[in-house]
Structures are given as C-alpha cells and as structure tokens.
Amino acid sequence: MTGHRDHPIEDLATVVVPDAQLIDVRQPDEVVDGMLDGAVNIPLGQLADRLDELDPDRRTVVVCRSGARSSTAARLLVGAGFGDVVNLAGGMLAYAQGVPR
C-alpha cells in the first residue's frame, strides 16, 4: 500500500482534476465562510463512518484549515484502500493568503 502525497494548495488546479472528489474535513462552523469550489464537507470526526459516500477508485483530494487534519484524513483514506489521495498542504489558511482567484 502506498501513502498519500502532499501538494501545495497554491497549485490545486493540477490535482483537482475533473473526476476528483474534493473533501473539506473542517467542522461545519469553519466552512460557513466558504469552501473550495466543488468541495464536500465531511468533518474529520465523521470521515471513517462516511467512507461509503466516496469512491476509492477516484482521486480524493482533502483540505482543512492548515493541512494537519487533512493529512490525518489522507492517512485514514489510504488505510481504507483509497489509491490516489492528495493532501492540500497549507490548507485554507494558505489559500486565503495568496491563491489567485
């Protein structure tokens, strides 16, 4: 089994391909100010119980506030048999500080 890979959020367009599933693992009160386009909110604490909502054969990209929870989520997904898992390093904090819109 291989691990996930970290990818800078500043370059998210290269990993969020058309067939990718983008998962925001922040808490609902954290996403009220916005999420990345196309993201689905599945808080980290619920992820293990909601794996059936995801397709393990598609690329799964995970994001959180800083990259720490999404790294944990990425390890959980790999352990559950997901083959192509990408953690957006730096999270939404990095995104807010300089990703061109």
Side-chain angles (χ1 to χ4, degrees):
M1 170 171 42
T2 62
H4 71 277
R5 62 188 166 108
D6 292 326
H7 191 83
I9 196 166
E10 295 84 3
D11 187 33
L12 70 99
T14 62
V15 293
V16 182
V17 295
D19 192 41
Q21 45 201 352
L22 178 57
I23 309 303
D24 189 322
V25 297
R26 295 178 293 162
Q27 293 298 312
D29 65 322
E30 293 178 280
V31 300
V32 294
D33 292 330
M35 295 192 306
L36 297 175
D37 288 342
V40 173
N41 181 226
I42 302 178
L44 178 59
Q46 298 175 14
L47 187 59
D49 294 329
R50 295 178 61 184
L51 291 175
D52 61 339
E53 297 176 31
L54 304 172
D55 182 348
D57 296 324
R58 289 172 51 200
R59 173 174 291 167
T60 305
V61 181
V62 289
V63 65
C64 70
R65 181 176 174 269
S66 68
R69 281 177 284 178
S70 55
S71 181
T72 299
R75 287 191 300 275
L76 185 153
L77 291 165
V78 168
F82 285 69
D84 185 2
V85 180
V86 180
N87 173 43
L88 290 176
M92 295 302 288
L93 287 176
Y95 182 80
Q97 292 184 7
V99 173
R101 291 178 178 61

